[in-house]
């Protein structure tokens, strides 16, 4: 599947292949009102990484429901709608607007938004604020539409935030959103991004993503995790799956290779086959098994599968 | 869709130096067929294990039908990505996506056009000139740069254009100064109906102001930092006034790079104008 904010409206990728072929299309985070985002430059390349400060530019929920969602539904894309807000009430209102819209496969809550009621502290840093958002979005969403809470790695204890979100009613967790980074242009001696800081993505953050998925899966093995952060190949996707993710999203890699999603899926299928897995589910969290318990051959793997 | 982009692994046919620039010809069939003047391509740099995640954007200078279709790029070495490109040799491969962006609109009836290029910006003007001449238009060139070796395509301009005026800031070629110093004279002499321009933002702002004085339309091709080039990342936005009079932050890669000059709010590039749609604290927020 695509990572939020990295697949445009879907139409852009559809120039290259059918969006129905994606496991799921995750929209950029939708806000109530249209947002112009941050000034440019909005991006800076770093070694194996990308800093971005787009600032949730988007047309607002009305235009999204009118122009973007119906198009995705028509194309048969499984659409996960990401929502972003500044207050619990805004998230709730967004969830209500989505509740009657056809074609929403799941709602993903982007918790890395500044909470305007808490001096701009992002929701994802505070377990109780995150849980409050999750609970009210869950209550406003149709019972058969899963709610996914998307976590930030910029926290002291990601397991605690994950647990609060699950207690608040999250059906699944997505991780990781971009950690905050910065780069300074030594020629101009100014920050490279107009906004100063930005979110770091790409392979540079993959070890961070693996660690977060690993810790949360270890603590909450029954909760489905959508893993993301720096996935550019099937091997990278498998790494997150072995850490405990049951689905993998691809973001920055799409900028380099518009075909990244179908290519990574193909590579992953080949890797799973080579290793003798019949189903992806058998590989989920497998790296957690005690050392030496499962040599890499088919029968042993079957015994050790969850 | 005729204009829809493709990804191809092209083979480098030739590399050459043109004054301060590098020119790279790559066999890229699907891209050459779909090309219109003003289109650009993005290339992956650094090879298969690269740590450079974003593709680099380059205007297409020329396409030729040889070997099923070739495209030529002209570039200057700026950082690590363009340095890697400059080291490519014939028979190396290059991953390209294109053609991208909205090309230059062409006039329906023959008219007189002034083509203004700054630095490597002139690279995209020659195929545009060809297309205009095929429609019976008269074309005049104004090319400028910091110094003589950075004025791209002066010879070709002299061959194609009714007149060609060159400017350099150090006076090493043509008139000393900037393109905007000579542009009013060229427009007046040619009785130009329209201006096309490609080059640095500052130059485009100046050219747009001159065209506005003469009350003639101007089409500009802008350059903004791009991470994807295909419209998915929203990093390349510029403030542009829409048909409804509302300013929006639009993507230079898919809504541009060619815009009507008078619609681009050059003074506000690099900011979010307070009256833009969705601006913080703005009237639509
Ligand atoms: C539509 C378009 C057409 C262009 N056509 C040409 C051309 O014909 N010839 C030419 O020499 N250059 C052209 N450029 C500029 C070219 O893309 C940059 O010079 C190049 O990306 C620099 O890469 P680098 O790795 O050498 O530099 P670095 O500074 O190391 O690049 C770092 C990052 O910044 C981005 N970046 C830096 N400068 C620019 C810039 N000016 N525009 C866009 N992204 C930038 C790069 O893509 C990269 O992600 C064009 C840019 C655009 C947007
Ligand atoms: C340009 C850009 C825009 C993004 N926009 C959003 C967004 O709107 N909402 C969100 O939840 N995450 C957003 N993200 C974060 C990604 O969804 C993803 O969590 C992160 O980039 C890590 O994955 P990657 O390394 O595969 O890109 C964005 C990332 C980038 C690079
Ligand atoms: S470069 Fe990504 S949207 Fe324009």
């Amino acid at each position: 599947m695509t990572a939020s904010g990295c697949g445009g409206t879907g139409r852009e990728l559809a120039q290259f292949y059918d969006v129905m072929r994606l496991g799921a299309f995750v929209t950029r985070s939708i806000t109530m009102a249209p947002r112009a985002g941050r000034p440019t430059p909005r991006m800076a390349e770093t070694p194996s990484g990308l800093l971005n400060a787009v600032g949730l530019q988007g047309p607002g929920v009305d235009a999204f429901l009118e122009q973007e969602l119906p198009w995705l539904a028509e194309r048969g894309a499984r659409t996960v709608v990401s929502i972003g807000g500044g207050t619990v009430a805004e998230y709730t209102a967004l969830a209500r607007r989505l509740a009657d819209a056809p074609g929403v496969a799941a709602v993903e809550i982007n918790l890395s938004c500044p909470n305007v009621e808490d001096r701009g502290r992002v929701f994802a840093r505070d377990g109780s604020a995150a849980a409050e958002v999750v609970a009210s979005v869950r209550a406003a969403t149709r019972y058969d539409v899963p709610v996914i809470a998307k976590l930030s790695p910029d926290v002291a204890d990601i397991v605690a935030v994950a647990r609060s979100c699950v207690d608040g009613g999250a059906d699944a967790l997505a991780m990781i959103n971009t950690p905050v980074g910065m780069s300074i242009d030594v020629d101009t001696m100014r920050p490279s991004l107009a906004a100063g800081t930005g979110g770091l993505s790409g392979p540079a953050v993959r070890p961070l993503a693996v660690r977060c998925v690993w810790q949360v899966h270890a603590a909450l093995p029954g909760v489905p995790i959508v893993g993301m952060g720096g996935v550019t190949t099937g091997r990278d996707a498998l790494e997150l799956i072995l850490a405990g993710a049951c689905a993998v999203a691809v973001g920055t890699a799409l900028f380099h290779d518009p075909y990244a999603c179908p290519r990574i899926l193909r590579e992953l299928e080949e890797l799973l086959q080579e290793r003798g897995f019949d189903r992806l589910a058998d590989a989920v969290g497998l790296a957690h098994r005690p050392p030496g318990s499962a040599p890499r051959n088919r029968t042993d793997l079957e015994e050790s599968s969850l | 869709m005729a204009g829809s982009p493709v990804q191809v692994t092209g083979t480098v046919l030739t590399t050459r130096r043109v004054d301060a620039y590098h020119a790279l010809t790559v066999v890229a069939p699907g891209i050459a067929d779909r090309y219109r003047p003003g289109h650009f391509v993005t290339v992956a740099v650094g090879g298969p294990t690269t740590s450079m995640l974003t593709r680099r954007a380059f205007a297409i200078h020329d396409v030729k039908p040889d070997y099923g279709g070739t495209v030529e790029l002209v570039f200057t070495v700026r950082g690590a990505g363009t340095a890697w490109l400059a080291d490519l040799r014939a028979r190396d491969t290059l991953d390209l996506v294109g053609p991208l962006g909205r090309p230059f609109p062409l006039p329906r009836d023959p008219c007189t056009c002034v083509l203004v290029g700054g630095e490597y910006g002139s690279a995209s003007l020659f195929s545009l000139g060809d297309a205009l001449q095929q429609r019976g238009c008269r074309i005049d060139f104004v090319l400028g740069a910091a110094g003589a070796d950075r004025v791209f395509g002066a010879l070709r301009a002299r061959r194609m254009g009714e007149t060609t005026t060159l400017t350099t800031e150090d006076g090493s070629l043509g008139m000393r100064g900037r393109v905007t110093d000579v542009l009013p004279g060229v427009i007046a002499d040619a009785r130009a109906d329209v201006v096309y321009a490609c080059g640095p933002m500052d130059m485009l702002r100046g050219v747009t102001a001159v065209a506005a004085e003469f009350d003639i339309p101007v089409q500009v091709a802008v350059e903004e930092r791009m991470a994807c080039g295909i419209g998915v990342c929203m990093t390349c936005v510029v403030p542009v006034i829409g048909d409804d009079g509302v300013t929006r932050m639009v993507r230079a890669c898919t809504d541009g790079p060619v815009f009507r000059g008078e619609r681009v709010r050059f003074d506000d590039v690099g900011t979010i104008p307070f009256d833009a749609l969705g601006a913080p604290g703005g009237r639509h927020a």
Side-chain angles (χ1 to χ4, degrees):
Chain A
M1 53 201 269
T2 58
S4 178
C6 301
T9 63
R11 286 184 172 89
E12 297 82 6
L13 290 179
Q15 300 181 88
F16 297 93
Y17 50 88
D18 195 345
V19 283
M20 209 183 89
R21 280 172 58 196
L22 293 166
F25 178 82
V26 185
T27 67
R28 54 186 156 188
S29 296
I30 305 299
T31 50
M32 277 311 271
R35 275 178 67 109
R38 298 243 174 74
T40 55
R42 286 180 172 184
M43 74 92 167
E45 203 182 54
T46 60
S48 294
L50 176 72
L51 281 169
N52 89 84
V54 171
L56 301 190
Q57 176 170 351
V61 67
D62 293 329
F64 170 75
L65 290 175
E66 244 167 64
Q67 292 152 23
E68 297 182 17
L69 187 60
W71 183 89
L72 288 162
E74 236 171 72
R75 296 294 179 294
R78 269 175 300 272
T79 307
V80 177
V81 181
S82 169
I83 56 175
T87 59
V88 177
E90 191 175 347
Y91 282 105
T92 318
L94 281 162
R96 276 208 202 94
R97 292 298 309 275
L98 295 175
D100 344 300
V104 180
V107 174
E108 181 176 280
I109 314 174
N110 177 0
L111 291 167
S112 299
C113 298
N115 182 351
V116 294
E117 287 164 351
D118 186 13
R119 286 167 293 135
R121 191 149 78 118
V122 297
F123 289 96
R125 290 212 188 144
D126 174 0
S128 59
E132 202 185 330
V133 174
V134 172
S136 56
V137 169
R138 181 61 274 177
T141 304
R142 273 192 8 214
Y143 70 93
D144 57 345
V145 174
V147 170
I148 307 168
K150 183 165 175 183
L151 307 182
S152 155
D154 281 345
V155 290
D157 183 356
I158 190 151
V159 171
V161 181
R163 195 169 273 133
S164 306
C165 289
V166 173
D167 292 345
D171 302 289
L173 301 169
M175 64 195 73
I176 55 172
N177 210 319
T178 49
V180 180
M182 184 168 184
S183 92
I184 293 174
D185 183 329
V186 293
D187 295 324
T188 61
M189 298 194 270
R190 294 276 310 141
S192 310
L193 298 177
T197 60
L200 182 64
S201 63
V205 304
R206 197 168 65 237
L208 212 52
V210 174
R211 184 267 292 173
C212 290
V213 172
W214 170 277
Q215 288 180 331
V216 172
H217 183 72
L220 305 163
V223 180
I225 298 176
V226 182
M228 74 193 82
V231 173
T232 63
T233 65
R235 290 186 79 88
D236 304 343
L238 183 56
E239 190 181 1
L240 285 175
I241 289 166
L242 292 171
C246 60
V248 173
V250 177
T252 306
L254 291 170
F255 305 163
H256 192 83
D257 174 10
Y259 290 95
C261 282
R263 174 179 55 77
I264 291 169
L265 181 61
R266 197 174 58 238
E267 290 169 358
L268 177 63
E269 281 167 352
E270 282 167 16
L271 285 171
L272 288 171
Q273 219 168 25
E274 272 170 28
R275 284 160 177 69
F277 292 102
D278 295 327
R279 302 180 313 148
L280 178 116
D282 296 338
V284 173
L286 204 58
H288 289 264
R289 72 189 187 283
S293 73
R296 284 210 315 209
N297 73 52
R298 188 181 178 123
T299 41
D300 284 342
L301 281 175
E302 270 173 3
E303 280 165 16
S304 70
S305 61
L306 299 170
Chain B
M1 203 162 64
S4 79
V6 291
Q7 183 174 27
V8 299
T9 304
T11 304
V12 175
L13 197 61
T14 58
T15 63
R16 62 193 171 97
R17 289 298 302 257
V18 187
D19 298 328
Y21 299 104
H22 298 260
L24 197 62
T25 307
V26 189
V27 182
I31 298 178
D33 316 338
R34 294 173 165 83
Y35 167 76
R36 300 277 174 282
H39 273 146
F40 68 98
V41 291
T42 57
V43 305
V45 292
T49 57
T50 184
S51 68
M52 292 183 267
L53 296 183
T54 59
R55 304 176 75 91
R56 275 33 176 185
F58 298 96
I60 299 176
H61 170 228
D62 228 346
V63 302
K64 294 219 170 66
D66 327 355
Y67 304 97
T70 64
V71 300
E72 186 172 47
L73 318 176
V74 172
F75 63 94
T76 175
V77 173
R78 190 182 313 233
T82 39
W84 180 86
L85 274 179
D87 279 341
L88 286 181
R89 294 288 164 262
R91 289 192 293 281
D92 286 341
T93 56
L94 184 65
D95 169 353
L96 302 102
V97 171
L100 296 167
R102 289 214 325 217
F104 286 110
L106 300 175
R108 236 169 278 123
D109 304 312
C111 64
T112 300
C113 311
V114 178
L115 277 51
V116 188
E119 307 271 332
Y120 54 78
S122 35
S124 52
L125 297 180
F126 299 105
S127 55
L128 171 66
D130 279 335
L132 291 170
Q133 283 180 328
Q134 273 163 25
R135 295 191 172 214
C137 295
R138 162 182 166 160
I139 58 173
D140 294 79
F141 281 100
V142 179
L143 306 183
D149 63 338
R150 304 194 71 85
V151 178
F152 180 79
L155 273 177
R156 191 158 172 205
R158 285 208 177 97
R159 273 205 313 273
M160 281 177 74
E162 193 75 24
T163 68
T164 294
T165 313
L166 306 175
T167 65
T168 50
E169 277 162 44
D170 62 4
S172 53
L173 180 70
M175 316 261 281
R176 179 191 294 268
R178 293 167 179 258
V179 290
T180 38
D181 299 333
V182 299
L183 186 56
V186 175
I187 292 177
D189 292 348
R191 302 211 190 147
D193 302 302
V194 54
V195 177
Y196 290 91
C198 183
M201 276 293 185
D202 279 353
M203 183 201 100
L204 298 180
R205 176 211 319 239
V207 170
T208 299
V210 173
E213 266 168 43
F214 284 87
D215 199 20
I216 56 176
V218 52
Q219 298 284 346
V220 300
V222 305
E223 202 183 290
E224 182 54 75
R225 270 172 178 255
M226 295 183 176
C228 75
I230 57 172
V232 298
C233 73
M234 307 300 287
T235 61
C236 62
V237 296
V238 280
V240 172
I241 305 166
D243 290 332
D244 53 3
V246 176
T247 299
R248 292 184 180 76
M249 301 305 294
V250 305
R251 293 165 298 185
C253 66
T254 40
D255 301 310
V258 177
F259 294 106
R260 284 169 58 177
E262 70 276 15
R263 295 290 184 85
V264 181
R265 293 176 60 171
F266 288 105
D267 293 333
D268 297 319
V269 168
T271 70
I272 306 291
F274 72 92
D275 57 346
L277 183 67
R283 64 192 155 99
H284 302 277

